[in-house]
Amino acid sequence: MKISLSRTQLGSLFALCAAFLFSTKAIFIKQTYALSPLVDGTVLMALRMASALPFFLLICWFSRHRNKGISKQDFLLLTLTGLLGYYFASWLDFVGLMYISASLERIILFLYPTLTVLASSVIYKQKLNVKSFCAILLSYGGTLLVMLQEYNNAPIQGNFWLGASLVFASAVAFAGYLLITPRLIQKFGSWNFTGLALSIACIGTLIHYFIATPHPLALLMQLPASVIWYGVGLGFLVTVLPTIFLMQSIERLGASQSAMIASIGPILTILLAVLFLNEHLNLWQWLGCILNIVGVMMITLSKKKLKH
């Protein structure tokens, strides 16, 4: 029996697969940190990006015809954007996960749509309506509730706020990336932009690793094989594959609808963290998580209506 999926159904399936794979990122990272004391955010980022780079270079090669007529200024802006969104933001996130739980990390990162709305209101001098203001209050109130509960229950509290601040800074950097990208995607094309931006981010990450690590090659040789395989998994399963799925979803559904489906991400991460990392959320944390998701969904829906 042949099963035929419509364009919308296939796009939704791609979006769900992308959301699930992206949701495993924090799980991979936390498990890798537990494998060896030699692994920190910079080392793991290097393993991830080294594994992903060949695939993004292939995308660049197959999309190279889209580079004709693009100015040097646009290439420079794309370079800065790629470094901001997928090198700097990712590095902050990886380092922040050394100090906080996977569940809290995902909830903080999920604030980025509210940050884009706040930044847009400042840049374009637009007043926030009541619905957007309430949505932002819900999101940040829920996130703060989860943070305070984790802080009170944490056995070691010394670097908790450092970790939370780094992950929030990651969300800010990614929101900045999202504000810049629409014009660049129109000029370069979605696939070409993704290949170029992520290839640049991979190269920037590797340069960072070789500069920041005293004996980079010797350190790689000392890493357990399991750490290397986790790094490869982060590169292919958690970076390349979901990026391709997301692009396929956007082509069929549009960015707004794909983003709506991706909002299941925090719940998936929390469930995976409970299953694989033995993390547990109390009733107040679940309430905070729900408030965060409701607030972000309200923002996403209002942005979608504005576009129409």
Side-chain angles (χ1 to χ4, degrees):
M1 181 178 176
K2 187 176 179 180
I3 299 175
S4 179
L5 296 176
S6 68
R7 182 180 178 85
T8 301
Q9 289 171 331
L10 193 57
S12 300
L13 181 61
F14 279 131
L16 284 171
C17 291
F20 174 77
L21 290 174
F22 278 131
S23 297
T24 65
K25 180 193 66 175
I27 313 302
F28 271 80
I29 295 171
K30 297 293 281 187
Q31 288 187 323
T32 311
Y33 285 157
L35 291 173
S36 172
L38 297 174
V39 181
D40 61 12
T42 301
V43 172
L44 193 51
M45 269 285 291
L47 292 173
R48 174 203 193 190
M49 293 308 214
S51 304
L53 179 58
F55 297 95
F56 291 123
L57 289 175
L58 277 175
I59 293 175
C60 290
W61 173 257
F62 288 117
S63 307
R64 65 190 185 280
H65 62 281
R66 293 298 303 265
N67 293 325
K68 293 179 181 179
I70 305 294
S71 68
K72 291 181 180 178
Q73 289 81 3
D74 285 326
F75 273 108
L76 177 60
L77 184 58
L78 180 141
T79 299
L80 294 174
T81 303
L83 291 174
L84 175 67
Y86 287 102
Y87 154 61
F88 187 58
S90 293
W91 180 77
L92 289 170
D93 181 40
F94 273 55
V95 176
L97 267 167
M98 297 173 67
Y99 309 114
I100 63 173
S101 70
S103 303
L104 178 58
E105 177 262 1
R106 194 67 170 88
I107 291 169
I108 295 174
L109 279 185
F110 197 57
L111 290 171
Y112 72 83
T114 68
L115 293 167
T116 60
V117 168
L118 288 171
S120 297
S121 68
V122 172
I123 294 169
Y124 301 113
K125 297 179 180 179
Q126 297 175 344
K127 289 185 177 181
L128 292 173
N129 58 37
V130 175
K131 183 178 179 181
S132 295
F133 186 74
C134 291
I136 290 169
L137 283 179
L138 281 176
S139 298
Y140 286 85
T143 303
L144 186 61
L145 184 58
V146 178
M147 287 174 62
L148 291 175
Q149 288 292 309
E150 180 165 324
Y151 176 76
N152 290 332
N153 296 328
I156 301 174
Q157 300 173 353
N159 292 316
F160 173 83
W161 291 110
L162 171 62
S165 299
L166 288 169
V167 174
F168 183 73
S170 173
V172 172
F174 192 68
Y177 162 84
L178 292 176
L179 285 172
I180 303 170
T181 52
R183 184 173 68 86
L184 290 173
I185 290 174
Q186 286 182 347
K187 289 194 173 186
F188 285 89
S190 57
W191 282 98
N192 189 37
F193 171 82
T194 300
L196 288 170
L198 279 156
S199 295
I200 289 165
C202 290
I203 293 168
T205 299
L206 294 175
I207 292 172
H208 178 177
Y209 171 73
F210 279 96
I211 291 174
T213 308
H215 304 287
L217 294 178
L219 177 59
L220 290 177
M221 297 297 291
Q222 295 174 34
L223 293 175
S226 56
V227 170
I228 302 295
W229 282 113
Y230 267 95
V232 172
L234 271 168
F236 182 71
L237 297 176
V238 188
T239 307
V240 175
L241 207 55
T243 298
I244 293 172
F245 283 151
L246 184 60
M247 296 301 296
Q248 292 290 335
S249 173
I250 290 172
E251 285 186 0
R252 290 165 174 80
L253 300 178
S256 298
Q257 191 64 32
S258 296
M260 287 292 295
I261 296 172
S263 63
I264 195 176
I267 294 294
L268 290 175
T269 298
I270 291 169
L271 293 175
L272 290 169
V274 170
L275 186 61
F276 292 102
L277 302 178
N278 200 30
E279 292 184 8
H280 297 286
L281 273 68
N282 61 32
L283 184 61
W284 288 108
Q285 288 173 306
W286 277 111
L287 175 61
C289 178
I290 292 169
L291 291 175
N292 171 284
I293 293 172
V294 169
V296 172
M297 290 283 286
M298 288 171 63
I299 286 286
T300 306
L301 284 169
S302 63
K303 285 167 68 178
K304 183 180 178 182
K305 288 177 181 177
L306 286 173
K307 288 180 181 178
H308 288 293

